[in-house]
Amino acid sequence: MKHCTFLVFLFLIFTSCNKELSFENETFEEKSHLPCKNDCPKITIDIPIAKNKGIVADSINKKVFSVVKEIVYFGEDPAKANDYNTLSKSFIDSYEEMHKKFPTETFGWEGKIVGNVEFHSETILNIKIDHYTFTGGAHGYQGFRSLLFDPKTGKTIFTDQLFINKKEFLAFAEKKFRAKYKIPSKANINATGLMFENDKFQLPQNIFYTEEGLLLYYNSYEAASYADGPKEVLFPYEEVNQYLKYQ
């Protein structure tokens, strides 16, 4: 009997350790309680929550939350927002406080955060966050964030860690970028009106692994004005695998 109990114990340990990392989207929503007729302030956060992998899932979830908080939180004490419900409420609370001070100047605040698992292989996990916020002014701000992880450990993989030789990939990417946006090879990278810092081509803050290939995505203001919109270049994997540590 003891022998059987021990075997059952080992089986439970084995199956729990071999559960695959999985994700389930959860939605959090908050609305203002102040009277309004149109464009009533609202925030919606729809985000993938990692499950089944203990420390690995916890590490991924903490990183995703910290990035969403960076996008959404308006309060003076970030430590107060430690979950998505509190975070959503903080956005609306900030609106209501602002509205009390400037009732004729605040309207239509909105936050919409949508996350999804963009890519998942044995060596790399990519979560994409599509975010839009409007808190007054001429227009809101929309952008994409790429979060890269080692699916075995849950640790963040930074852009600089993606490449076997970043300098070589940078030169390759610049040629492709110039070709797509019709920038002469010997001209300044900003010759056609782009806004690269120090007049030098740079990799974007967000690089995505997609089913179609490796995507370099420059959000608005990163390489061009808001009016010119985001810029992007997609590389089929057969063109860039030689540069990548993770495939």
Side-chain angles (χ1 to χ4, degrees):
M1 188 65 181
K2 287 183 179 180
H3 181 67
C4 292
T5 303
F6 180 69
L7 289 176
V8 170
F9 177 71
L10 287 178
F11 175 75
L12 291 172
I13 292 178
F14 179 79
T15 54
S16 63
C17 290
N18 283 274
K19 283 183 179 179
E20 291 188 2
L21 181 66
S22 65
F23 291 85
E24 183 178 320
N25 270 54
E26 295 184 16
T27 302
F28 308 86
E29 188 172 281
E30 191 76 26
K31 298 178 181 179
S32 174
H33 297 294
L34 296 180
C36 65
K37 294 181 180 179
N38 300 308
D39 298 322
C40 298
K42 174 183 175 182
I43 182 169
T44 303
I45 300 174
D46 181 6
I47 212 77
I49 306 297
K51 300 178 180 292
N52 291 338
K53 273 288 188 178
I55 295 174
V56 174
D58 188 52
S59 177
I60 293 169
N61 290 334
K62 283 181 177 178
K63 178 62 178 180
V64 173
F65 178 76
S66 71
V67 170
V68 174
K69 182 163 68 171
E70 180 184 316
I71 295 167
V72 170
Y73 194 71
F74 278 84
E76 295 181 358
D77 185 3
K80 290 182 178 179
N82 52 17
D83 59 60
Y84 287 108
N85 285 317
T86 307
L87 185 60
S88 301
K89 188 175 183 303
S90 76
F91 182 84
I92 297 301
D93 286 347
S94 295
Y95 162 77
E96 293 184 348
E97 288 175 14
M98 189 69 70
H99 185 72
K100 289 174 184 176
K101 294 178 182 177
F102 309 101
T104 62
E105 298 179 21
T106 52
F107 61 91
W109 274 35
E110 181 184 359
K112 188 173 183 180
I113 315 294
V114 179
N116 68 279
V117 177
E118 184 76 2
F119 188 87
H120 191 177
S121 71
E122 291 185 0
T123 59
I124 194 159
L125 164 70
N126 192 181
I127 293 178
K128 176 181 180 181
I129 297 178
D130 180 352
H131 60 91
Y132 173 81
T133 52
F134 176 79
T135 55
H139 52 74
Y141 181 74
Q142 190 273 335
F144 295 124
R145 292 288 296 269
S146 174
L147 305 181
L148 298 164
F149 301 94
D150 181 333
K152 296 184 179 67
T153 64
K155 292 183 178 179
T156 297
I157 297 174
F158 297 98
T159 299
D160 288 346
Q161 298 174 304
L162 291 178
F163 306 105
I164 297 168
N165 187 316
K166 182 183 176 182
K167 188 176 180 179
E168 288 183 2
F169 179 76
L170 188 67
F172 170 79
E174 181 172 357
K175 289 180 182 178
K176 297 290 185 179
F177 185 94
R178 285 177 177 269
K180 178 173 181 179
Y181 291 102
K182 298 179 173 59
I183 305 169
S185 60
K186 294 184 179 180
N188 186 295
I189 191 66
N190 292 331
T192 60
L194 296 180
M195 299 167 55
F196 281 100
E197 189 175 352
N198 299 321
D199 292 330
K200 290 184 179 180
F201 177 79
Q202 299 171 15
L203 295 181
Q205 296 176 14
N206 296 282
I207 297 177
F208 293 91
Y209 277 70
T210 74
E211 293 301 326
E212 293 77 27
L214 190 76
L215 178 66
L216 305 189
Y217 189 86
Y218 298 84
N219 282 299
S220 297
Y221 300 117
E222 194 175 347
S225 67
Y226 180 85
D228 288 333
K231 304 297 179 186
E232 61 181 66
V233 185
L234 179 67
F235 301 100
Y237 288 116
E238 56 266 26
E239 289 186 6
V240 295
N241 275 343
Q242 62 180 311
Y243 302 108
L244 298 176
K245 289 182 182 178
Y246 304 91
Q247 299 177 22

